[in-house]
Amino acid sequence: MRTTDQIIELFKQISQASCYNFSVGDVNGHYAVLEVSPNAVLVRTSDTGLICTNHFLQAEACNRPDVTCSRNRYSFLTEQKAASMTQNDLFNLFADSASPLFFDDYDNLFGTLHTFSYSFETRRLITALAQGNVLDINASEWFAGKDLTMKAIYGNIAKKPTQDG
């Protein structure tokens, strides 16, 4: 796949069992958020950047009963003008455990497991597990066969102690 339009067409051909948001883009600067459900693929596009959290804006009937947390994250990103932030600033905003975008309610199976960022312009991929070391990759070099220097990434997902220990 080389273009956002090709990716959109592919998603329209693949049957889906669940509802997901996908942020896609291409080197030409065409970006889209795909709201994918078993019934449809709805597409949001923008020339000024897109924000995507864990709820649908167009296919609201597909949302979980309570998406308050996701809507709050969306509002926060909109207020921060996230669509115009740098890749580093955005990555840090999501990965920082003090950020309102970071969640650690792991006991209730809700929390930030990892952060991932990719820049189509620079071909730079940044990822980290929760509260862990950062892996920063030049994707062009990696795809061309250059080995990564980091052998493992680590994170810290703390579970609160129970009465059983």
Side-chain angles (χ1 to χ4, degrees), residues 118-119 122-125 136-145:
Y118 182 77
S119 168
T122 64
R123 309 282 203 280
R124 181 176 173 218
L125 182 149
D136 193 333
I137 301 169
N138 177 318
S140 293
E141 292 175 358
W142 186 44
F143 292 147

Side-chain angles (χ1 to χ4, degrees), residues 96-134:
D96 181 356
S97 62
S99 169
L101 300 174
F102 190 97
F103 291 90
D104 61 359
D105 190 11
Y106 301 114
D107 289 334
N108 290 308
L109 304 176
F110 185 80
T112 301
L113 299 177
H114 60 86
T115 302
F116 174 89
S117 171
Y118 182 77
S119 168
F120 294 97
E121 291 82 23
T122 64
R123 309 282 203 280
R124 181 176 173 218
L125 182 149
I126 311 169
T127 190
L129 297 176
Q131 302 179 69
N133 58 328
V134 175

Side-chain angles (χ1 to χ4, degrees), residues 88-103:
N88 280 347
D89 289 343
L90 275 170
F91 180 84
N92 292 331
L93 189 62
F94 276 89
D96 181 356
S97 62
S99 169
L101 300 174
F102 190 97
F103 291 90

Side-chain angles (χ1 to χ4, degrees), residues 15-92:
S15 62
Q16 300 291 325
S18 295
C19 299
Y20 293 101
N21 282 330
F22 294 93
S23 299
V24 299
D26 62 33
V27 297
N28 300 314
H30 300 121
Y31 306 104
V33 171
L34 311 182
E35 296 184 1
V36 179
S37 73
N39 301 322
V41 175
L42 300 177
V43 180
R44 288 191 288 126
T45 60
S46 171
D47 295 332
T48 59
L50 292 164
I51 295 172
C52 175
T53 56
N54 296 88
H55 71 283
F56 286 170
L57 297 180
Q58 298 179 92
E60 291 194 32
C62 295
N63 286 331
R64 298 181 312 271
D66 183 9
V67 292
T68 304
C69 185
S70 184
R71 289 187 196 280
N72 290 344
R73 293 174 84 208
Y74 188 90
S75 294
F76 176 79
L77 287 165
T78 302
E79 291 166 10
Q80 298 298 310
K81 298 186 176 28
S84 62
M85 294 174 76
T86 68
Q87 182 183 15
N88 280 347
D89 289 343
L90 275 170
F91 180 84
N92 292 331

